[in-house]
């Protein structure tokens, strides 16, 4: 798994661009938003967006930093 370092200003920008909550590890509600039915594969994203509208999902995905591609550069 590739880790992504989010800058604090990226998280702030994401919070301003979606209507739902944007939670980081340790935030109240983070664990519940990350919950999955497959308990053998826990998710630990750098942030999680609790989408409140159909607009939030594509906005959150577009705003997510992309990990570097192998061989790119």
């Amino acid at each position: 798994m590739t880790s992504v370092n989010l800058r604090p200003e990226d998280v702030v920008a994401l919070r301003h661009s979606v209507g739902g909550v944007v939670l980081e590890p340790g935030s109240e509600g983070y664990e519940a938003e990350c919950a999955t039915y497959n308990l053998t594969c826990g998710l630990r994203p750098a942030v999680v967006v609790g989408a409140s509208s159909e607009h939030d999902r594509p906005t959150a995905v577009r705003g997510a930093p992309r990990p570097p591609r192998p061989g790119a550069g």
Side-chain angles (χ1 to χ4, degrees), residues 10 27 32-33 66:
D10 295 332
S27 299
E33 286 291 338
R66 307 297 190 268

Side-chain angles (χ1 to χ4, degrees):
M1 180 179 293
T2 304
S3 74
V4 175
N5 292 322
L6 288 176
R7 300 173 306 174
E9 56 267 27
D10 295 332
V11 177
V12 170
L14 183 57
R15 283 192 173 109
H16 286 100
S17 64
V18 297
V21 295
V22 176
L23 304 169
E24 298 175 84
S27 299
E28 184 177 341
Y30 175 86
E31 295 294 331
E33 286 291 338
C34 293
T36 177
Y37 291 105
N38 183 354
L39 299 178
T40 63
C41 182
L43 301 174
R44 304 295 306 163
V47 296
V48 63
V49 176
S52 66
S53 72
E54 62 187 42
H55 166 78
D56 284 353
R57 188 174 307 148
T59 301
V61 171
R62 276 192 305 272
R66 307 297 190 268
R69 295 181 309 182

